[in-house]
Amino acid sequence: MSKTEINTAPFSYDGLDRVIHEKARLGLLTSLMAHPKGLAFADLKQLCGLTDGNLSRHLGVLQEAGLVEVTKGYEGNRPHTSCRLTKTGRRRFLDYLAVLEGLVRDAARAAGKEAAPTAKFRILPV
């Protein structure tokens, strides 16, 4: 972003990844980030409150973007689908969180707050 663009659009955040920013996908990535070994489809469905169809569709978008790996197989005689973040997915999610931290800092500054709330929570190392 050029200096002119920054001055005329200070609250335009190019780093908000459209693939990640959608509510359901953000929930999926957050759940998978908290479970590095991955989660079963049914567990992910329950954690995120999605239907089978919605979960499948959002996982497809994330998989196409290279953020999530979906593995289908069997546990005994039952089909089993597991999902986990890829290395790229983990990196892009952390980058996305850094942009969100900046957004919160800027919003707090614009609202007249001296210390942004993220300083208290330390979401990411500074």
Side-chain angles (χ1 to χ4, degrees), residues 24 26 57 68 76 84 88 97 108:
L26 181 58
R57 176 67 184 118
V68 170
R84 69 175 194 79
T88 299
L97 289 180

Side-chain angles (χ1 to χ4, degrees), residues 58-74:
H58 288 297
L59 284 173
V61 169
L62 293 170
Q63 191 174 19
E64 188 176 304
L67 304 179
V68 170
E69 178 180 273
V70 177
T71 307
K72 296 183 181 205
Y74 288 89

Side-chain angles (χ1 to χ4, degrees), residues 17-26 28-29 32 41 44 50 52-70 72 83-86 88-89 92:
D17 190 323
R18 302 292 286 171
V19 171
I20 296 172
H21 197 68
E22 197 284 327
K23 180 183 170 186
R25 292 192 289 268
L26 181 58
L28 290 170
L29 292 172
L32 292 172
F41 185 92
L44 200 49
L50 297 171
D52 287 350
N54 282 337
L55 178 54
S56 291
R57 176 67 184 118
H58 288 297
L59 284 173
V61 169
L62 293 170
Q63 191 174 19
E64 188 176 304
L67 304 179
V68 170
E69 178 180 273
V70 177
K72 296 183 181 205
C83 311
R84 69 175 194 79
L85 280 178
T86 62
T88 299
R92 278 182 57 188

Side-chain angles (χ1 to χ4, degrees), residues 104-117:
V104 170
R105 267 193 303 274
D106 291 349
R109 231 178 277 129
K113 308 277 189 217
E114 297 237 352

Side-chain angles (χ1 to χ4, degrees), residues 91-107:
R91 178 75 258 145
R92 278 182 57 188
F93 185 74
L94 290 172
D95 290 345
Y96 174 82
L97 289 180
V99 172
L100 285 181
E101 267 193 330
L103 186 147
V104 170
R105 267 193 303 274
D106 291 349

